[in-house]
Amino acid sequence: YWKDVGTIKSLWESNMDLLGKTPTLDLHDRNSRIFSKTSPRSPQYVASNSVQINSMVAGDSEIYGTIINSVISPGVIIESGAVVTDSVIMSDVVVSSGAKIDYSVIDSDCTIGANAVVGEPISNGKEITLVGSGVSIPKGTVIPAGAYVDNEFIEKNVK
């Protein structure tokens, strides 16, 4: 398996290649060894009332909300009432209660505030939304589809 991930779309696609009944990149294929260097972390926790559909959740993550067709990296917390769909969430992100993320890539060390909305459903035909590393999206903020969100974007566009 090889894929050029030089664009946000191809990065998103490569993560989606891990999902489904017959994934393009099958992590259980004994003939395709994967070498990685990761820091030791706790196991994942998936609450009994959470919903997880066609998704992959890495260790040290806590899932209390809903994740659909998404890849969740280590150290992510999805709070109760939060919904993540068709997205890639990088390490150590907090998605607060009531937040909704659609068709997005969220870089590491971000906080998505309570009841914030990031992106739009993939079915709307819009572009992927990207949230850069270390960004805190305030509660109730709406981030449009296709936006590139960094701290400067938050300062200029969020009151």
Side-chain angles (χ1 to χ4, degrees):
Y1 177 88
W2 183 90
K3 188 168 205 140
D4 180 356
V5 292
T7 67
I8 298 303
K9 178 127 175 121
S10 64
L11 173 70
W12 180 86
E13 289 171 348
S14 68
N15 277 271
M16 295 301 114
D17 286 348
L18 298 168
L19 304 178
K21 286 186 178 184
T22 54
T24 303
L25 176 57
D26 184 0
L27 296 178
H28 301 288
D29 183 353
R30 293 274 196 214
N31 296 318
S32 298
R33 296 179 63 191
I34 296 174
F35 298 92
S36 69
K37 183 177 181 182
T38 59
S39 302
R41 291 193 180 232
S42 305
Q44 62 178 244
Y45 175 77
V46 179
S48 62
N49 61 341
S50 68
V51 176
Q52 184 177 320
I53 300 170
N54 191 43
S55 295
M56 182 174 286
V57 178
D60 199 33
S61 292
E62 298 176 27
I63 309 301
Y64 302 94
T66 299
I67 53 173
I68 302 167
N69 200 51
S70 295
V71 176
I72 308 299
S73 298
V76 171
I77 298 172
I78 310 289
E79 292 183 355
S80 181
V83 179
V84 176
T85 306
D86 297 313
S87 295
V88 177
I89 310 296
M90 301 296 188
S91 60
D92 302 310
V93 169
V94 175
V95 182
S96 301
S97 181
K100 185 174 181 180
I101 299 173
D102 278 302
Y103 193 38
S104 297
V105 174
I106 311 296
D107 203 350
S108 60
D109 301 308
C110 291
T111 300
I112 311 301
N115 301 310
V117 176
V118 177
E120 290 185 24
I122 193 170
S123 59
N124 289 359
K126 306 263 178 117
E127 294 295 316
I128 296 172
T129 304
L130 176 65
V131 177
S133 180
V135 172
S136 290
I137 296 177
K139 65 180 181 177
T141 301
V142 176
I143 303 295
Y148 170 71
V149 181
D150 58 9
N151 287 318
E152 184 177 323
F153 178 96
I154 296 295
E155 288 172 18
K156 287 182 179 179
N157 297 291
V158 178
K159 306 292 180 227

